[in-house]
Amino acid sequence: METSNPSTETSISPEQGPGEAPRREFLTKVMAVSLGTAVSVGPLVVGSYVALDPLRKKSVGATPFLPVTSLEALPPDGLPHLFRVVSTLTDAWTRYPKIPIGAIYLRRTKENPEKVEAIHPTCPHLGCFVNARGDGTFHCPCHDSDFQTDGSIRNPQSPSPRGLDRLETRIEDGKVLVQFMNFEPGVKEPKPIL
Ligand code: FES
C-alpha cells in the first residue's frame, strides 16, 4: 500500500495543482536573473548617460564669425540697423540649420563704408533689449540707461555698469560677418558667456 510523503504534500496547498511548485521555482529564478541584470547594467547605463552628456547638448561652437547680412543691405548712413543672427546648431545626431540665436545692431558710415561696427542690443544692466533712437543713440526702456551711437554711456546717471558690448566684424565676399557672443549683465567689464 502506497503512502504519501508528508514533506512533499505540505509544499503544495490543496488548491494548487501538482505543477505549481516547479512553476514557482521557475518564476523565482527569472526574478533573480532580472534583478541581477538590473543591478549590473544600471551603473553602466547611468555612466553612459553622463559620458554622453556633452553630445546631447546643442553646441554653438566656440565663437565663430557668422554671416549676418550683405554689405549692400547695410546703408552707409551712420545709423544702427538691427539684424537677426542665425546659426547652425548640431548635437550628436541632428543638425539644426538656421536657428535664430540673437540680434545685432550694425552700422557703417559714408566716410568709411568698408568698416562695419557691431553693437550688442542687450543692456549690460539687467539684460533688457535696448532701442535705437532716430539720431543713432540707444535707450534702455527698463531703467533708462542711455548710450551713445558707439555704445558708450551717454548719461552718467545710467544704471548700466558699462557701455553696450561691441563685437568683432569682418567683410568677406561682400558679406558682413560678426563674431557673435553674449555677455554677462551686471558687471563692469565685458565677460562673454560661453
Ligand atoms: S536693464 Fe537696462 S537699464 Fe536696467
Side-chain angles (χ1 to χ4, degrees):
M1 181 179 162
E2 278 187 15
T3 56
S4 58
N5 181 345
S7 66
T8 306
E9 282 182 354
T10 51
S11 66
I12 301 174
S13 67
E15 308 85 41
Q16 292 170 324
E20 193 61 28
R23 188 166 159 261
R24 187 182 301 166
E25 194 181 326
F26 172 73
L27 287 175
T28 305
K29 280 181 185 167
V30 167
M31 282 178 66
V33 169
S34 303
L35 268 175
T37 304
V39 167
S40 58
V41 172
L44 185 65
V45 171
V46 172
S48 305
Y49 189 82
V50 172
L52 292 173
D53 189 55
L55 296 177
R56 291 183 297 106
K57 289 176 182 165
K58 293 172 188 173
S59 66
V60 178
T63 40
F65 278 81
L66 301 172
V68 173
T69 184
S70 65
L71 193 59
E72 233 175 42
L74 181 62
D77 55 8
L79 296 173
H81 296 269
L82 189 64
F83 289 88
R84 206 167 57 134
V85 181
V86 297
S87 183
T88 296
L89 306 179
T90 53
D91 61 21
W93 296 276
T94 316
R95 193 165 180 269
Y96 305 89
K98 298 200 174 166
I99 300 284
I101 59 167
I104 193 81
Y105 281 114
L106 298 180
R107 168 180 177 264
R108 68 176 178 141
T109 61
K110 275 198 189 72
E111 297 72 41
N112 201 351
E114 295 301 311
K115 183 172 175 252
V116 174
E117 285 176 12
I119 292 184
H120 204 294
T122 300
C123 179
H125 181 220
L126 292 178
C128 289
F129 192 91
V130 298
N131 298 316
R133 298 187 181 100
D135 64 356
T137 60
F138 299 94
H139 173 248
C140 179
C142 292
H143 313 98
D144 280 336
S145 280
D146 193 14
F147 305 93
Q148 303 278 12
T149 305
D150 66 359
S152 58
I153 290 182
R154 184 163 93 140
N155 180 351
Q157 303 304 314
S158 300
S160 179
R162 62 176 192 269
L164 295 172
D165 297 305
R166 296 165 63 104
L167 297 162
E168 294 294 318
T169 64
R170 243 189 231 163
I171 312 295
E172 276 178 19
D173 301 329
K175 286 199 169 63
V176 181
L177 280 68
V178 177
Q179 192 178 32
F180 186 79
M181 62 187 89
N182 295 309
F183 298 85
E184 277 190 21
V187 291
K188 194 146 182 56
E189 297 301 322
K191 191 173 169 200
I193 300 171
L194 300 175

